[in-house]
Structures are given as structure tokens and as C-alpha cells.
Amino acid sequence: MASAIGLRGYLITAHKKGERAMIPFSSTELNITPPKFFTKFVADHDEAVQHAEKERSWYFEERDEDGKGNSKGYTHYGTFGFESDFVNSKTKTKKYRREIDDTEEIPLFYEFWWPDNKNFCFAAFQSFQGRSCIGLVMEQAKDEFAARNPGYVLKYQKLIPSEGSGLYSKAPVKRLRLIKRNAPQDVTDRYLGRRVPDTVNFEVRLSTNRNKILGTFKEVTGALRKSDAGLVLHDGIEFSEVYADVKIGGKFRPVGVFGSDTNAGVIDITQDIKRGPDGHPTYESLVIQCDKILLDFLEIVNNKQT
């Protein structure tokens, strides 16, 4: 899924340090409430924040806000610290020599949404070809919130965990895909009965008829067996990636269940967005899909609380 466009969803809450109970956003114990904090956080980080050790940078480009903490736009995510050549993929002509201080930036959609009369916030962050800056952004937010509110912390919970034990544990699953990239010769020989000259990606799919499901997210992921190497084991073959089509936002969407950190827990929206001439998703198509998913998050959380 090298060209996949994904979304990660998080539930953000405020707590007294060391306690599980949520702090109401209207609490007078806080020097600055989470909605006001994030309004200021986005505004204060409209210029590049550089992490020299990680050779990464990021900053916000806000497109829409309502003064209540709700905000959406782009997080511009950059990498620097090494040289490379930019080459035309068709002509192989060298276009530019990237120097060590040059930063390669990509726009990644973000949204913070504070539902009315709730003591939690939803955050959604886009990934592009597996790249995301969620860790850098949210760690910065946690540190600054704690500095502004001594004794209190922000917590953010992944809404689609890589295992089916979270808020979507009861969500229906329509299809399961197990992928082994660059399968060894013995696997291809076993199924093709002959040697193939090139590397092969081996995939197993389990799906149901139109109106049926494989089970709930928790049931399907709980049935996955692991090998001694920690990979998913099926029919004697180890698989390094697993994706489940989970019903989210009114339709079944692929979600990374097992694999690298870049895919696990990511909702794949590649087939639902439109791309612009620059190869990136258009802002409008990202907003449409993100809003559908955020509304689904709210319904799931409300059902959990009732």
C-alpha cells in the first residue's frame, strides 16, 4: 500500500496527573481549557518547528476555524539532514541535488473537532505513503499543555487500535487481507508449481457474501495466530501485514491491523479521495471523508457512554 492515503483518529481528554477521571473542559482548575489551548497551539505553530535529532520539521497551515477550538487545514511535514538527487522518473534526467539543509515538505491534512457539550476532542491526522507527523505534533501539545496547566495532562487514545479491543471492537468486518511481500521461493513453488524469476507478493483474502460479515473486529483480530517470530501465521506461512475492511463512517474501509507502525491502526481512504495535479489529495475530498469518520467516532463514543 505504498501510495495509500490514510487517516489516524484520536480521542483527546484532560486529566489530573495520575488519575483516570476526565476533567470537564469548563473546570476552573485549569489555567487554560483544552479548546482554548488548541486554538492557541495551532496559531502559535504556523512556522516550522524543527527537531534536529530526528531531522524532522512541521508547522500548521490553518484553513478553517470557528473560534471554539475547531480547526482544520494542513500540517506541513518536512525531512532534512541528508543529500539526495531528484531525478525525473520518466527521462531519468537529474533535476536537482538536494543539500543537507534542504527540507522536503509534504502537506498532511489535520482536524481538531470539539463536539458540543462534551469533555473530549477528536483529532484526525492524514498519512501519505506511510508518512505522518502525529507523534511530533501531539508530544509537543502534551508538553505545552502540561506547562500551562501544572498537575494536569492531555491524553490521546487511538480510536482504531491494531488489535480489536478498543472502541471499534464490535464493528463488523467484511474482508480480511493477509500480505507477505517478497515471498520466498518455497511459497511461490508451493502454489505455482514452478519457479518464477521475479519476487512475488503473496496475499490471502477472506471475504463474505454481500450481506454477511466475517465477525466483529475483536473476533476477527482475536483469531489471528502468531508465529514464534511474532508474525501472523496462516496455513504454515508467516504474514507481515494484515488489513481488515471495517465499517466506519457509513462504509467498509481498510484498516491496518498488523504490520509496521506506519500502517497499524490507519484507516485507508485512498479509494474515496480525489487527487490534485500535484499528486496529493484535494482539501475538499479530505474534508468530506474526515467529517464522515469523525461523526462515526462520536456515535461510537456516545454508545459506549450510554
Side-chain angles (χ1 to χ4, degrees):
M1 304 178 74
S3 60
I5 304 300
L7 278 179
R8 287 178 170 85
Y10 295 87
L11 182 73
I12 301 176
T13 52
H15 303 258
K16 185 173 289 188
K17 194 171 183 179
E19 296 185 6
R20 295 184 60 183
M22 293 188 299
I23 295 293
F25 287 171
S26 59
S27 174
T28 57
E29 299 177 38
L30 299 172
N31 294 327
I32 183 170
T33 64
K36 290 182 179 179
F37 168 78
F38 272 96
T39 296
K40 182 172 175 53
F41 181 74
V42 171
D44 286 349
H45 295 85
D46 60 349
E47 295 185 1
V49 179
Q50 289 198 336
H51 296 260
E53 184 178 344
K54 296 181 179 180
E55 298 179 337
R56 298 289 187 270
S57 66
W58 63 272
Y59 64 91
F60 288 116
E61 177 197 345
E62 188 173 57
R63 288 288 192 92
D64 296 292
E65 57 86 23
D66 65 358
K68 300 177 182 178
N70 296 324
S71 175
K72 65 182 72 169
Y74 288 110
T75 309
H76 290 270
Y77 176 49
T79 58
F80 59 90
F82 58 92
E83 295 184 355
S84 62
D85 290 327
F86 284 75
V87 180
N88 185 289
S89 61
K90 296 180 179 179
T91 66
K92 308 302 181 185
T93 303
K94 181 178 177 180
K95 304 285 289 185
Y96 175 72
R97 176 68 178 177
R98 166 177 162 159
E99 298 182 355
I100 196 168
D101 292 328
D102 291 334
T103 300
E104 179 189 1
E105 290 184 351
I106 57 173
L108 298 174
F109 180 81
Y110 80 88
E111 181 166 358
F112 295 111
W113 178 44
W114 307 83
D116 291 338
N117 302 315
K118 300 294 182 181
N119 292 313
F120 53 77
C121 163
F122 293 113
F125 291 87
Q126 179 210 337
S127 62
F128 179 80
Q129 296 182 349
R131 287 181 283 181
S132 172
C133 58
I134 170 64
L136 295 175
V137 173
M138 291 310 298
E139 286 304 313
Q140 185 89 16
K142 287 175 65 177
D143 289 345
E144 293 188 15
F145 182 84
R148 294 291 302 274
N149 295 285
Y152 296 87
V153 295
L154 278 180
K155 291 185 180 180
Y156 57 104
Q157 173 190 348
K158 187 184 292 185
L159 288 166
I160 310 289
S162 55
E163 305 294 340
S165 59
L167 292 173
Y168 277 81
S169 61
K170 296 181 180 179
V173 173
K174 186 77 173 176
R175 182 178 65 165
L176 190 69
R177 297 170 58 217
L178 294 81
I179 300 173
K180 185 178 186 66
R181 302 194 185 278
N182 300 322
Q185 195 73 51
D186 62 327
V187 172
T188 56
D189 289 352
R190 174 179 170 184
Y191 283 88
L192 299 177
R194 61 181 177 84
R195 290 184 174 274
V196 292
D198 298 319
T199 57
V200 173
N201 294 330
F202 183 75
E203 181 173 326
V204 173
R205 297 190 182 197
L206 295 87
S207 60
T208 65
N209 294 329
R210 180 178 236 178
N211 297 319
K212 306 292 184 180
I213 63 170
L214 291 174
T216 65
F217 191 38
K218 183 176 182 179
E219 290 170 340
V220 171
T221 57
L224 296 175
R225 295 173 54 209
K226 301 288 180 64
S227 69
D228 292 339
L231 301 176
V232 171
L233 187 66
H234 176 75
D235 197 23
I237 300 173
E238 294 179 324
F239 293 87
S240 56
E241 298 175 39
V242 179
Y243 300 90
D245 285 12
V246 184
K247 194 167 187 179
I248 303 171
K251 65 175 296 185
F252 285 92
R253 304 174 188 267
V255 174
V257 174
F258 179 85
S260 66
D261 290 339
T262 58
N263 290 328
V266 176
I267 305 168
D268 191 313
I269 59 170
T270 308
Q271 301 303 316
D272 302 312
I273 51 88
K274 295 181 180 179
R275 293 183 189 264
D278 59 0
H280 290 282
T282 65
Y283 179 76
E284 292 76 14
S285 68
L286 285 166
V287 168
I288 290 172
Q289 295 307 315
C290 188
D291 285 351
K292 289 180 180 179
I293 290 171
L294 289 177
L295 285 171
D296 198 67
F297 286 168
L298 179 59
E299 182 178 356
I300 291 289
V301 172
N302 282 340
N303 288 340
K304 285 283 185 179
Q305 294 181 340
T306 57

